[in-house]
C-alpha cells in the first residue's frame, strides 16, 4: 500500500517576508503551553520546523535529550541546520519529511510538536494519527495553530476586511483550513485521542515597532510571496486588488491607535 502524502499546497511559500515572521518565533512566544511538560532527557520531533528557531529553543530545553526537526522544503531544512549550528547545539538533527508519512518507527519520540502546520495540510486528522504513531506510550502530541477567522484589529478597515476574505479563500483553494485553531480539539477527537487538553493564546501587535513589523511583512507578502501568485493565478484577486490590500496593511501600521490580535488554538494530547 503506498504511503499517504500531502495533497495541500503551502499557501505562503518561503519568500523573505514569510521567513521574517517565521524567524521571529520562539518557544516562549509560540510554544509556551508545552514548555511545562518538557524534561531534560526527552526526545522531541518538531514537525514543520521552518528555519529552526523554535526547534533550537526546544533543544536548549532538553539538554540531555534530542530534537529532530522535519520540514517539507529542503532549502528550509538547510536554514534550520544553520540555526542550530549558529547556536552551538549538538543535540539536533534535521530531515525533509511529510507529516502524513513520517519516516520514523512507532513509539519513537517523547514529544511530537507542530506549530502552524495543520492549517496547511490536506488531512489534519490523518496527520494527527501519524504524529501519535511515532510518539511513545505516555508521550505528548502538542499542536498550535492560528485561526484567521478569529483575528481582529482596530481601527476598522475595508482593505483589511478584503485581505482576510481573500486569504481564507486562497488557503482553502490550496487544500488547507485557515480557521484551524478552533478545530484542533475536534480533529484530535476524530483522530482517536481520548486525553486532550485544549487551550488558547494570542499574539498582539500594538506598539509602533510591532505594527511596523507586522503590517510590513503582510504588505510585502501580499505583493511578492507565493501567496500573491496563487491569489492571482487562481482567479481570487487581480494585481490591482492585491496592491490595494497591501496599501491597507501599511495604512493600518501607521495608525498610532492600531491594534491587531491573533488567536491560536492549542492542544496537548497524551498517547494512551
Amino acid at each position: 500500500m503506498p504511503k499517504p502524502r500531502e495533497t495541500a499546497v503551502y499557501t505562503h511559500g518561503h519568500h523573505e517576508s514569510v521567513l521574517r515572521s517565521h524567524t521571529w518565533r520562539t518557544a516562549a512566544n509560540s510554544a509556551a503551553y508545552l514548555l511545562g511538560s518538557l524534561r531534560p532527557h526527552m526526545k522531541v520531533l518538531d514537525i514543520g520546523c521552518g528555519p529552526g528557531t523554535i526547534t533550537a529553543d526546544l533543544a536548549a530545553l532538553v539538554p540531555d535529550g534530542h530534537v529532530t526537526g522535519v520540514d517539507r522544503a529542503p532549502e528550509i531544512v538547510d536554514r534550520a541546520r544553520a540555526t542550530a549550528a549558529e547556536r552551538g547545539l549538538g543535540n539536533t538533527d534535521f530531515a525533509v519529511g511529510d507529516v502524513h508519512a513520517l519516516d520514523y518507527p512507532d513509539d519513537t519520540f517523547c514529544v511530537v510538536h507542530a506549530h502552524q502546520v495543520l492549517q496547511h495540510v490536506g488531512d489534519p486528522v490523518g496527520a494527527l494519527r501519524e504524529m501519535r504513531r511515532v510518539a511513545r506510550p505516555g508521550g505528548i502530541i502538542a499542536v498550535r495553530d492560528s485561526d484567521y477567522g478569529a483575528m481582529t484589529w482596530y481601527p476598522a478597515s475595508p482593505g483589511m476586511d478584503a485581505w482576510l476574505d481573500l486569504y481564507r479563500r486562497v488557503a482553502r483553494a490550496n487544500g488547507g483550513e485557515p480557521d484551524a485553531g478552533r478545530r484542533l480539539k475536534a480533529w484530535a477527537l476524530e483522530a482517536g485521542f481520548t486525553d486532550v487538553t485544549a487551550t488558547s493564546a494570542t499574539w498582539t501587535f500594538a506598539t509602533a515597532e510591532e505594527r511596523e513589523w507586522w503590517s510590513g511583512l503582510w504588505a510585502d507578502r501580499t505583493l511578492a510571496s507565493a501567496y500573491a501568485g496563487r491569489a492571482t493565478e487562481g482567479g481570487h484577486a487581480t494585481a490591482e486588488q492585491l496592491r490595494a490590500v497591501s496599501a491597507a496593511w501599511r495604512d493600518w501600521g501607521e495608525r498610532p491607535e492600531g491594534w491587531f490580535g491573533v488567536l491560536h488554538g492549542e492542544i496537548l494530547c497524551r498517547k494512551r
Side-chain angles (χ1 to χ4, degrees):
M1 180 182 296
K3 286 186 176 182
R5 61 184 181 86
E6 181 56 83
T7 57
V9 175
Y10 180 47
T11 296
H12 298 293
H14 295 98
H15 183 262
E16 181 278 330
S17 61
V18 178
L19 293 180
R20 201 185 312 164
S21 170
H22 292 183
T23 55
W24 166 83
R25 297 172 184 172
T26 65
N29 67 29
S30 300
Y33 72 109
L34 167 63
L35 302 189
S37 300
L38 296 179
R39 300 294 180 265
H41 67 278
M42 283 182 160
K43 187 173 183 179
V44 180
L45 178 63
D46 186 23
I47 297 171
C49 66
T53 51
I54 297 175
T55 320
D57 285 351
L58 295 175
L61 294 169
V62 292
D64 303 321
H66 191 89
V67 179
T68 297
V70 171
D71 202 282
R72 291 184 63 206
E75 69 277 12
I76 296 304
V77 170
D78 289 340
R79 284 283 300 267
R81 287 192 183 103
T83 297
E86 289 165 5
R87 298 197 193 181
L89 295 166
N91 62 336
T92 61
D93 71 301
F94 297 89
V96 177
D98 182 343
V99 66
H100 295 91
L102 296 166
D103 193 22
Y104 302 101
D106 296 359
D107 306 337
T108 298
F109 298 96
C110 305
V111 175
V112 182
H113 169 260
H115 183 262
Q116 312 290 21
V117 172
L118 293 192
Q119 64 185 280
H120 297 295
V121 306
D123 183 6
V125 174
L128 282 163
R129 289 179 179 138
E130 181 69 350
M131 293 168 73
R132 181 178 59 201
R133 180 187 68 78
V134 300
R136 294 174 178 172
I140 295 169
I141 292 83
V143 178
R144 185 177 195 253
D145 269 275
S146 56
D147 192 301
Y148 277 77
M151 292 184 187
T152 189
W153 57 86
Y154 185 85
S157 164
M160 300 273 282
D161 291 341
W163 158 74
L164 181 57
D165 174 70
L166 174 63
Y167 181 84
R168 293 167 86 196
R169 286 190 283 113
V170 172
R172 289 184 173 127
N174 286 339
E177 176 44 71
D179 299 350
R182 71 189 69 184
R183 291 172 163 82
L184 294 183
K185 181 182 179 184
W187 287 340
L189 294 174
E190 186 177 348
F193 287 101
T194 58
D195 185 345
V196 181
T197 300
T199 56
S200 62
T202 60
W203 290 336
T204 303
F205 304 99
T207 69
E209 294 78 12
E210 291 165 348
R211 294 194 317 274
E212 180 181 15
W213 181 79
W214 185 242
S215 65
L217 69 86
W218 270 106
D220 292 344
R221 191 180 302 189
T222 299
L223 295 180
S225 71
Y227 157 67
R230 287 163 186 146
T232 54
E233 292 161 13
H236 304 288
T238 65
E240 182 179 357
Q241 288 170 326
L242 291 182
R243 286 192 292 270
V245 168
S246 179
W249 268 108
R250 294 200 183 278
D251 177 70
W252 172 83
E254 293 170 358
R255 303 289 292 269
E257 73 275 31
W259 178 94
F260 198 105
V262 179
L263 179 70
H264 295 84
E266 304 163 336
I267 51 171
L268 289 175
C269 307
R270 185 77 63 173
K271 180 175 179 178
R272 296 301 185 188

